[in-house]
Amino acid sequence: MAEQIEQPGAGAGAPRVIVAGATGFAGALAAHLLWRHPSFELVAVTGRSELGRPLAELYPRYRVPLSVQELDTDGLASVDAAIVAYPHAAAAPTVAALREAGARVVDLSADFRLRSLETYERWYGPHPRPELIEQAVYGLTELHREQIAAAGLVANPGCYPTASVLALAPLARAGLIADVVIDAKQGISGAGRAFDEQTHLSMAGENILPYKVAAHRHTPEIEEQLAALGCDMRVQFQASLVPLDQGEMASCYVTPTRALGAEELRELYADAYAQEPFVEVAETPPGTRETVATNYCRLFAAADGHTGKVLVFSAIDNLWKGTSSQAVQNLNVMFGLGEGEGIA
Amino acid sequence: MAEQIEQPGAGAGAPRVIVAGATGFAGALAAHLLWRHPSFELVAVTGRSELGRPLAELYPRYRVPLSVQELDTDGLASVDAAIVAYPHAAAAPTVAALREAGARVVDLSADFRLRSLETYERWYGPHPRPELIEQAVYGLTELHREQIAAAGLVANPGCYPTASVLALAPLARAGLIADVVIDAKQGISGAGRAFDEQTHLSMAGENILPYKVAAHRHTPEIEEQLAALGCDMRVQFQASLVPLDQGEMASCYVTPTRALGAEELRELYADAYAQEPFVEVAETPPGTRETVATNYCRLFAAADGHTGKVLVFSAIDNLWKGTSSQAVQNLNVMFGLGEGEGIA
Amino acid sequence: MAEQIEQPGAGAGAPRVIVAGATGFAGALAAHLLWRHPSFELVAVTGRSELGRPLAELYPRYRVPLSVQELDTDGLASVDAAIVAYPHAAAAPTVAALREAGARVVDLSADFRLRSLETYERWYGPHPRPELIEQAVYGLTELHREQIAAAGLVANPGCYPTASVLALAPLARAGLIADVVIDAKQGISGAGRAFDEQTHLSMAGENILPYKVAAHRHTPEIEEQLAALGCDMRVQFQASLVPLDQGEMASCYVTPTRALGAEELRELYADAYAQEPFVEVAETPPGTRETVATNYCRLFAAADGHTGKVLVFSAIDNLWKGTSSQAVQNLNVMFGLGEGEGIA
Amino acid sequence: MAEQIEQPGAGAGAPRVIVAGATGFAGALAAHLLWRHPSFELVAVTGRSELGRPLAELYPRYRVPLSVQELDTDGLASVDAAIVAYPHAAAAPTVAALREAGARVVDLSADFRLRSLETYERWYGPHPRPELIEQAVYGLTELHREQIAAAGLVANPGCYPTASVLALAPLARAGLIADVVIDAKQGISGAGRAFDEQTHLSMAGENILPYKVAAHRHTPEIEEQLAALGCDMRVQFQASLVPLDQGEMASCYVTPTRALGAEELRELYADAYAQEPFVEVAETPPGTRETVATNYCRLFAAADGHTGKVLVFSAIDNLWKGTSSQAVQNLNVMFGLGEGEGIA
């Protein structure tokens, strides 16, 4: 299912990749990154609408000349890997077909992020392909790099869990979290290619809007990941939309299990991420702008002497590290490439 | 010290008002509101810079034709009232001069907001006129309306305390707050007429930036007000700048002292604000856009069944209800006028 | 067809007004302005969708508690006036029904703006009610105040013609225009409550987008109005969308019929608008921000000594002076009220 | 004057480059591009302020770890090339010192853009080093590629001339321009790291502001370049600021010397730019968003049958193709590298 257009990047023999669901924001960016990638060959972009239209027409700035085609599940034999960018529940069957054809998959949906089927079904409804859950590896690269390297199916994290879990992991691992409130803010690209009151510039502009109050589906995902680090608790997670395009800040307010000093905190974070190419521990509060169009997560932790709480601020680009560049980071790991190839 | 330009609004015999410090965002808006006010006569706008320039040149959209003049403390005899919009410490001496001349004052600075001199000096440094503290009334109209009506000196609240205390007062009064995290977001006008990295559109735009981490001076102000309602505790307050002009959201995460149901919460807020002309209890999470260029505070409270916490979202326009229109609301109360005159 | 909710503004005996098509941006703002108007009674808001929903739910910041109802053409007897905010072609039949019931109408659509049926049909297609064209008066208040005062049907101008014709009228009347290029820029509210690629913040934001190249329907409207002033010519009109909400700038590049000096130009504009309450001739180039949420048009004219051309910049709020506040301005004139009532 | 920090990109033996004036927007981006460049070694960044501060602190998102140092004109012997990002008049002496030391220079200022000293001095004042003018080549890569390849001093074009001349060159060369109006719009980054009323988000946001009316210094630069193509005329050039960060649109309204059809126009542009890697002739009007953070210029030309005029829209990123990535494009050409290295 490959088109005959010369790709600037990859040479002969590179793994052949497709993006399934390339018409949304996440899939389109993934296609852009793979099209320019030096070590993957992007052989097709598929969609459920806009068939036959060059992706470059839908997203001129991404300059991917391939045309959107239907996913031909019979022609997957020559496909080595796929990024799947369908909504939850729609993703699972496509993932299954790709897995059956032998392709390694990074799935951007929520379908394989949760280890617990029961939790999934409470938050998302019936799971279309529950038997695949156990082969899935949670794709927060920094936490699960080794399993990702060997995985056939990687469940790419939600953007909020990416920012939140990277922020909290050092504290969670050390058993230091007694309670946590996460107040996250995100630009409008987080709403995706949806055309409605939440995305119209004359409504979303000049606005700050909390949404999905006390009901955000990223909550159980954060809780499962923290639990896996030894911190089993209910997490207060709340998101707001703010008027920018790409950018996400998770502001975490931790009640620690014991008093924590500034120096101890500094060391905890420095040690945790010293070897990580895409996590920066900053010396001042990060702005999300510092991460726009990059795969970086930028963290700042502070002890509040007045309240005894620990504050951690975690900035990412929700479409990049929060979604599509992290998917490529995972693909790089899965295929033994340099982790930053095509995204740094 | 009056200029001879006809004001659209007030007739003869109206109280004569000045705005001291009219060249900043807050003072300029106060001058705008008073210039159009049907029951006050704006007789002068003063400043420490831009002397002689018509305010309409500095702020064309406010259309106040008066020219900026130096404050003539000898000519205050005929001034009935003043809004003072100087920075903290600079405000107190001007307030004192106005009080000595018999003018009633609404002070926008922090100088008289805190009842405790010790607390003031810990956060702000030496107080220039501590002897005036005890005559000051805290100007959150909805909480202190009666004292404001009789006051000679009203300390207009900070914008964050306005949004936060209105959000938390019903819970605080009922003794229901065991712990609280306030994550506030604000547009760039909150930084005032400051020209720097935090306000340049190419730096503040497309950005989310936490600032004054664990050190915001509005913290003790919120704590004092909650304590006055019977809730004496350390408050976790944190603010972030987001890329819009006017708008502020205080997202409050309350650990309640006992389990609270949705219905009880609904009634608590409905009862607390049923008679308030400028507090709206909404049925869905408010956007700050719904309050832009108004004196409204728009609240939404929710019980999170998952965590047991109570969430309260409080939206205001930081320059209006958060500062200048609340100052006019207070002036209205002080002079026995309709509370919404000139601001509704 | 009136609802029983007390209106803050108008007393008994005030003309009874409806807004037909109140769910779009223009109609909703018109309803907001009339609801607060001291001398009109807003008795109903109608729509073709969202029936039964309070307008305040759709547009919280406008705070109009009336619910959207279907237009009951049989119950119009008690309606004195209407603002009609339907798309072109849909507007004309509603306007006709209102006129037959004796109501005076300000129509926001293009249906009655053009005097020439032939021109209308070339740009818009078949006209549903051509027989009404001749009774319509073009509602650019500053140019046609007397006819508006007596009119039963006022065709409210397009936003671009409002800014452009006010900019060019002094030159046109004096026979000074040999050729003109109008480059107009507008915020996203100009696209109305349309949910698509042009309004999504992640697409419209950080963008400058020329649209309807060489084909904008406001072109013939501008040409007809200039012709009526004695300037019969083809006008080059081009619009671009820029990332803000409300605001419009018409930048006019005039090749004059003879050399024009700065002083002559200054006097020409000063004289033309000296008596106009809502046209400001500025001494520096206006920003659209200076007109946001006002009925003002702010003009600046300059002679370019280098090229010999005359430049005129005209700033308005496209939703206010460009649409809804101008409609109220016209209603004020039609009912003999102060021209600025409810909009200044 | 090199620092000992490992650069991700260039290997040993790569040309050694410095950026002089790296603290402004243009210089900082140039440093970012060179730091990541595979074939240049960035050995120093210099400035006149912020000495000793890592550039990564001033511009975190650019991640250039080098510290700002004073330009050591004695230590230039080992420097092969420089990008100079000083204001006009300040640039020339630095350029001269670099040239004397044997370095090849791309100068971002206006100092060497104009061939005519007289024109320069009329618009900019006395020229500090007029003797260098004749060795300078105008750095619009697409027009002067061959001379640039051999040049010691390249005068990088202004951002407006870049967009405008690329838009008009095909028509100018064919003798088809009788008259032209250029209405350009630009994001706030065009104002640079200046902190004032024009850049404060609460003033620049929600605004459209024409500036330097009939007096923009890019006018003579455009005129000289068009004249060099055979089109000697006065150009009407006008710019406006619009509320975004990076993005620039030159909307060109050409009165042609003879009637031009759509097909002829299409071919003219297709032929002119068929071989250009960084000029895209689009089939629909471009949005500036399509060029953000790229070196592309995206053009669309249309014949207006109604007026007979020809419209050309030219979109670039003012900081990239308009300034810094074009500078690197020129450096690539000067050193015989792939023209898109490090910028595509």
Side-chain angles (χ1 to χ4, degrees):
Chain A
M1 52 194 299
E3 284 189 57
Q4 299 308 315
I5 303 178
E6 196 192 354
Q7 184 176 344
R16 295 163 56 82
V17 188
I18 68 167
V19 173
T23 59
F25 283 4
L29 175 56
H32 170 69
L33 294 171
L34 290 171
W35 182 252
R36 304 165 46 114
H37 199 287
S39 304
F40 286 111
E41 187 186 355
L42 179 65
V43 294
V45 293
T46 80
R48 299 180 298 179
S49 62
E50 312 286 356
L51 298 176
R53 285 185 70 185
L55 197 58
E57 218 176 276
L58 283 167
Y59 294 90
R61 69 174 170 146
Y62 287 155
R63 292 180 172 74
V64 177
L66 303 181
S67 294
V68 180
Q69 51 179 284
E70 266 189 290
L71 182 67
D72 170 15
T73 47
D74 294 337
L76 295 176
S78 66
V79 172
D80 298 304
I83 291 179
V84 175
Y86 285 137
H88 73 87
T94 301
V95 168
L98 283 156
R99 291 297 298 132
E100 279 151 32
R104 300 175 79 182
V105 174
V106 177
D107 178 31
L108 305 188
S109 85
D111 281 356
F112 302 103
R113 291 178 192 158
L114 296 171
R115 303 267 61 74
S116 159
L117 176 61
E118 189 199 328
T119 306
Y120 180 93
E121 300 204 322
R122 190 163 60 240
W123 289 82
Y124 292 94
H127 195 297
R129 298 300 293 265
E131 71 279 9
L132 291 177
I133 291 178
E134 74 173 6
Q135 67 167 264
V137 171
Y138 189 75
L140 189 55
T141 328
E142 286 73 15
L143 263 66
H144 306 288
R145 191 174 277 116
E146 281 183 36
Q147 302 96 301
I148 291 166
L153 170 53
V154 170
N156 214 58
C159 59
Y160 289 125
T162 296
S164 302
V165 177
L166 287 175
L168 296 172
L171 292 166
R173 227 183 263 121
L176 288 167
I177 307 181
D179 190 31
V180 63
V181 169
I182 305 172
D183 181 291
K185 303 109 185 130
Q186 190 180 226
I188 304 302
S189 64
R193 198 184 171 83
F195 300 115
D196 55 28
E197 282 88 348
Q198 286 199 346
T199 61
H200 193 303
L201 189 144
S202 291
M203 293 160 159
E206 293 290 309
N207 200 9
I208 306 171
L209 183 67
Y211 69 104
K212 292 188 192 161
V213 170
H216 201 290
R217 285 163 162 172
H218 284 178
T219 307
E221 190 180 332
I222 297 168
E223 288 176 347
E224 254 201 15
Q225 288 300 308
L226 293 183
L229 295 169
C231 173
D232 196 350
M233 58 169 23
R234 302 272 172 107
V235 164
Q236 185 72 50
F237 174 81
Q238 178 59 45
S240 294
L241 290 174
V242 288
L244 49 98
D245 179 7
Q246 296 171 209
E248 178 178 315
M249 177 71 67
S251 304
C252 306
Y253 302 92
V254 174
T255 307
T257 51
R258 62 169 174 79
L260 265 170
E263 184 52 25
E264 182 182 0
L265 195 61
R266 207 196 57 74
E267 276 177 29
L268 187 71
Y269 277 81
D271 290 354
Y273 293 119
Q275 305 305 318
E276 285 301 333
F278 288 113
V279 180
E280 298 179 326
V281 180
E283 286 168 35
T284 54
T288 56
R289 213 181 148 75
E290 301 164 14
T291 65
V292 171
T294 79
N295 193 53
Y296 289 103
C297 174
R298 204 164 158 93
L299 295 174
F300 176 72
D304 186 333
H306 181 67
T307 62
K309 287 197 165 61
V310 171
L311 282 54
V312 192
F313 302 91
S314 177
I316 60 169
D317 182 320
N318 52 299
L319 283 188
W320 282 64
K321 177 62 176 170
T323 310
S324 303
S325 70
Q326 181 160 243
V328 174
Q329 183 183 8
N330 284 327
L331 271 188
N332 286 341
V333 170
M334 291 161 81
F335 284 83
L337 304 172
E339 196 168 313
E341 268 196 51
I343 53 172
Chain B
M1 54 192 298
E3 283 189 57
Q4 299 308 317
I5 302 175
E6 196 192 356
Q7 185 176 345
R16 296 164 56 84
V17 188
I18 68 166
V19 173
T23 58
F25 283 4
L29 175 56
H32 170 70
L33 293 171
L34 290 171
W35 182 251
R36 302 164 48 113
H37 199 288
S39 304
F40 286 110
E41 189 186 354
L42 179 65
V43 293
V45 294
T46 80
R48 299 180 297 178
S49 62
E50 312 287 355
L51 299 177
R53 285 186 70 187
L55 197 59
E57 218 177 276
L58 284 167
Y59 295 91
R61 67 174 171 146
Y62 287 156
R63 291 179 173 77
V64 177
L66 304 180
S67 294
V68 180
Q69 51 179 287
E70 266 189 289
L71 182 66
D72 169 14
T73 45
D74 294 337
L76 295 176
S78 67
V79 172
D80 298 304
I83 291 179
V84 174
Y86 284 137
H88 73 88
T94 301
V95 168
L98 283 157
R99 292 297 298 132
E100 278 151 32
R104 301 174 76 182
V105 174
V106 177
D107 177 30
L108 305 187
S109 85
D111 281 355
F112 301 103
R113 291 180 191 157
L114 296 170
R115 301 267 61 73
S116 158
L117 176 60
E118 188 199 329
T119 306
Y120 179 92
E121 300 204 321
R122 190 161 62 240
W123 289 83
Y124 292 93
H127 196 297
R129 299 299 294 263
E131 71 279 10
L132 290 178
I133 291 178
E134 73 173 7
Q135 68 166 264
V137 171
Y138 190 74
L140 189 54
T141 328
E142 287 73 15
L143 263 66
H144 305 289
R145 191 174 278 116
E146 280 181 38
Q147 302 96 298
I148 292 166
L153 170 52
V154 169
N156 215 56
C159 60
Y160 289 125
T162 296
S164 302
V165 176
L166 287 175
L168 296 172
L171 292 166
R173 227 183 262 120
L176 288 166
I177 307 180
D179 190 31
V180 63
V181 169
I182 305 172
D183 182 291
K185 302 108 184 134
Q186 191 179 227
I188 305 303
S189 64
R193 198 184 172 85
F195 301 115
D196 55 26
E197 283 88 349
Q198 287 199 344
T199 61
H200 193 302
L201 189 144
S202 291
M203 292 159 160
E206 294 289 309
N207 201 9
I208 305 171
L209 183 67
Y211 69 104
K212 291 186 192 161
V213 170
H216 201 290
R217 286 165 163 173
H218 283 178
T219 306
E221 190 181 331
I222 297 170
E223 289 176 347
E224 253 202 16
Q225 288 299 309
L226 293 182
L229 295 169
C231 173
D232 196 349
M233 58 171 20
R234 300 272 171 108
V235 164
Q236 185 72 52
F237 175 82
Q238 178 59 46
S240 295
L241 289 174
V242 289
L244 49 99
D245 179 8
Q246 296 172 208
E248 178 178 316
M249 177 72 67
S251 304
C252 306
Y253 303 91
V254 174
T255 306
T257 50
R258 63 171 172 79
L260 263 171
E263 183 54 22
E264 184 184 358
L265 195 61
R266 205 195 59 73
E267 276 177 29
L268 187 70
Y269 277 80
D271 289 354
Y273 293 119
Q275 306 305 320
E276 284 301 334
F278 288 113
V279 180
E280 298 178 326
V281 180
E283 287 170 34
T284 53
T288 55
R289 215 181 144 73
E290 301 164 13
T291 65
V292 171
T294 78
N295 193 52
Y296 289 103
C297 174
R298 205 166 156 92
L299 295 174
F300 176 72
D304 187 332
H306 181 67
T307 61
K309 286 197 167 58
V310 171
L311 281 55
V312 192
F313 302 92
S314 177
I316 60 169
D317 182 320
N318 52 300
L319 282 188
W320 281 64
K321 177 62 177 170
T323 309
S324 303
S325 71
Q326 181 160 244
V328 174
Q329 183 183 8
N330 285 328
L331 271 189
N332 286 339
V333 170
M334 292 162 82
F335 283 83
L337 304 173
E339 195 168 314
E341 268 196 53
I343 53 173
Chain C
M1 52 194 298
E3 284 189 57
Q4 298 308 316
I5 303 176
E6 196 192 355
Q7 184 176 345
R16 295 164 55 84
V17 187
I18 68 168
V19 173
T23 59
F25 283 3
L29 175 56
H32 170 69
L33 294 172
L34 289 172
W35 181 252
R36 303 165 45 114
H37 199 288
S39 304
F40 285 111
E41 188 186 355
L42 180 65
V43 293
V45 294
T46 81
R48 297 180 299 179
S49 62
E50 311 287 356
L51 298 176
R53 285 186 70 186
L55 197 58
E57 219 177 275
L58 284 166
Y59 295 90
R61 69 173 169 146
Y62 287 156
R63 294 180 169 76
V64 177
L66 303 181
S67 294
V68 180
Q69 50 179 287
E70 265 190 290
L71 182 67
D72 169 15
T73 46
D74 294 337
L76 295 176
S78 65
V79 172
D80 298 306
I83 291 178
V84 175
Y86 285 137
H88 72 89
T94 301
V95 168
L98 283 157
R99 291 298 297 133
E100 278 152 31
R104 301 175 78 181
V105 175
V106 177
D107 177 32
L108 304 188
S109 86
D111 282 356
F112 302 104
R113 290 179 192 158
L114 296 170
R115 302 268 60 75
S116 159
L117 176 60
E118 190 199 327
T119 305
Y120 180 93
E121 301 205 319
R122 189 161 62 239
W123 289 83
Y124 292 93
H127 196 297
R129 300 300 294 263
E131 72 279 8
L132 290 178
I133 292 177
E134 75 173 7
Q135 66 168 262
V137 170
Y138 189 75
L140 189 54
T141 328
E142 286 73 15
L143 264 65
H144 305 289
R145 192 173 277 118
E146 281 182 36
Q147 302 96 300
I148 291 166
L153 170 53
V154 169
N156 214 57
C159 61
Y160 290 125
T162 295
S164 303
V165 176
L166 287 175
L168 296 172
L171 292 166
R173 226 183 262 121
L176 288 167
I177 307 179
D179 191 31
V180 63
V181 169
I182 305 171
D183 182 290
K185 302 108 184 133
Q186 191 181 225
I188 305 302
S189 65
R193 199 184 170 84
F195 300 115
D196 57 27
E197 283 88 348
Q198 286 199 345
T199 61
H200 193 303
L201 188 144
S202 291
M203 293 160 160
E206 292 289 310
N207 200 9
I208 306 171
L209 183 66
Y211 69 104
K212 291 189 192 157
V213 170
H216 201 290
R217 284 163 164 174
H218 284 178
T219 307
E221 190 180 332
I222 297 169
E223 289 175 348
E224 253 201 17
Q225 288 300 310
L226 294 183
L229 295 170
C231 172
D232 197 351
M233 58 170 21
R234 301 271 172 107
V235 164
Q236 186 71 52
F237 175 81
Q238 178 59 45
S240 294
L241 289 174
V242 289
L244 50 100
D245 179 7
Q246 296 171 208
E248 178 178 315
M249 177 72 66
S251 304
C252 306
Y253 303 91
V254 174
T255 307
T257 51
R258 62 170 173 79
L260 265 169
E263 183 54 23
E264 182 183 359
L265 195 60
R266 207 196 56 73
E267 277 178 27
L268 187 69
Y269 277 80
D271 291 354
Y273 293 119
Q275 305 305 318
E276 285 301 334
F278 288 113
V279 180
E280 298 179 326
V281 180
E283 285 169 36
T284 54
T288 56
R289 216 182 146 74
E290 301 165 13
T291 65
V292 171
T294 78
N295 193 53
Y296 289 102
C297 173
R298 204 164 157 92
L299 296 174
F300 175 72
D304 187 332
H306 181 67
T307 62
K309 287 197 166 59
V310 170
L311 281 55
V312 192
F313 302 92
S314 176
I316 60 170
D317 182 320
N318 51 299
L319 283 189
W320 281 64
K321 178 62 179 170
T323 309
S324 303
S325 70
Q326 180 159 243
V328 174
Q329 184 183 9
N330 284 327
L331 270 188
N332 286 340
V333 171
M334 292 162 80
F335 283 83
L337 305 172
E339 196 169 312
E341 269 196 51
I343 52 173
Chain D
M1 53 192 299
E3 285 188 57
Q4 298 308 317
I5 304 177
E6 195 190 358
Q7 182 176 346
R16 296 163 55 84
V17 188
I18 67 166
V19 173
T23 59
F25 284 4
L29 175 56
H32 170 69
L33 294 171
L34 289 171
W35 182 253
R36 303 164 45 113
H37 199 288
S39 304
F40 285 111
E41 187 186 356
L42 179 65
V43 293
V45 294
T46 79
R48 298 179 298 178
S49 61
E50 313 285 356
L51 297 177
R53 286 186 69 186
L55 198 58
E57 219 176 273
L58 283 167
Y59 295 90
R61 68 173 170 146
Y62 287 155
R63 292 178 172 76
V64 177
L66 303 181
S67 294
V68 180
Q69 52 179 283
E70 266 190 290
L71 183 66
D72 168 16
T73 47
D74 294 337
L76 294 176
S78 66
V79 172
D80 298 305
I83 292 179
V84 175
Y86 284 138
H88 73 90
T94 301
V95 168
L98 283 156
R99 291 298 297 134
E100 277 152 31
R104 300 175 77 182
V105 175
V106 178
D107 176 31
L108 305 188
S109 85
D111 282 355
F112 301 103
R113 291 179 192 158
L114 296 170
R115 302 267 62 71
S116 158
L117 176 60
E118 188 200 328
T119 305
Y120 180 92
E121 301 205 319
R122 191 162 59 241
W123 289 82
Y124 293 93
H127 196 298
R129 299 300 294 263
E131 72 280 9
L132 290 176
I133 290 178
E134 75 171 6
Q135 68 167 262
V137 171
Y138 190 75
L140 189 55
T141 328
E142 287 73 14
L143 263 65
H144 305 288
R145 190 173 277 116
E146 281 182 37
Q147 302 96 298
I148 291 165
L153 169 54
V154 170
N156 215 56
C159 60
Y160 290 125
T162 295
S164 302
V165 176
L166 287 175
L168 296 172
L171 293 166
R173 228 183 262 120
L176 287 167
I177 306 179
D179 190 31
V180 63
V181 169
I182 305 172
D183 182 290
K185 302 108 185 134
Q186 191 181 224
I188 304 302
S189 64
R193 198 183 172 84
F195 300 115
D196 55 27
E197 283 88 347
Q198 287 201 343
T199 61
H200 193 302
L201 189 143
S202 292
M203 292 160 160
E206 294 289 310
N207 201 8
I208 306 171
L209 183 67
Y211 69 104
K212 292 188 191 159
V213 170
H216 201 291
R217 284 163 164 173
H218 284 177
T219 306
E221 189 179 332
I222 297 169
E223 288 175 348
E224 253 202 16
Q225 288 299 309
L226 294 182
L229 295 168
C231 172
D232 197 350
M233 57 171 23
R234 301 273 171 106
V235 164
Q236 185 72 51
F237 175 81
Q238 177 61 45
S240 294
L241 289 174
V242 289
L244 49 99
D245 178 8
Q246 296 172 208
E248 178 178 315
M249 176 72 65
S251 304
C252 306
Y253 302 92
V254 174
T255 306
T257 51
R258 62 170 173 79
L260 264 170
E263 184 53 23
E264 183 182 0
L265 195 60
R266 206 195 58 73
E267 278 179 26
L268 187 69
Y269 277 81
D271 290 354
Y273 293 118
Q275 305 306 318
E276 284 302 333
F278 288 113
V279 181
E280 299 178 326
V281 180
E283 287 169 35
T284 53
T288 54
R289 215 181 145 75
E290 302 164 13
T291 64
V292 171
T294 78
N295 193 53
Y296 289 103
C297 174
R298 204 163 157 93
L299 295 174
F300 175 72
D304 187 332
H306 181 67
T307 61
K309 287 197 165 61
V310 170
L311 281 55
V312 191
F313 301 92
S314 177
I316 60 170
D317 182 320
N318 51 299
L319 282 188
W320 281 65
K321 177 62 175 170
T323 309
S324 303
S325 70
Q326 181 160 244
V328 174
Q329 183 182 10
N330 284 328
L331 271 188
N332 286 340
V333 170
M334 291 161 81
F335 283 83
L337 305 172
E339 195 168 314
E341 268 196 55
I343 53 173

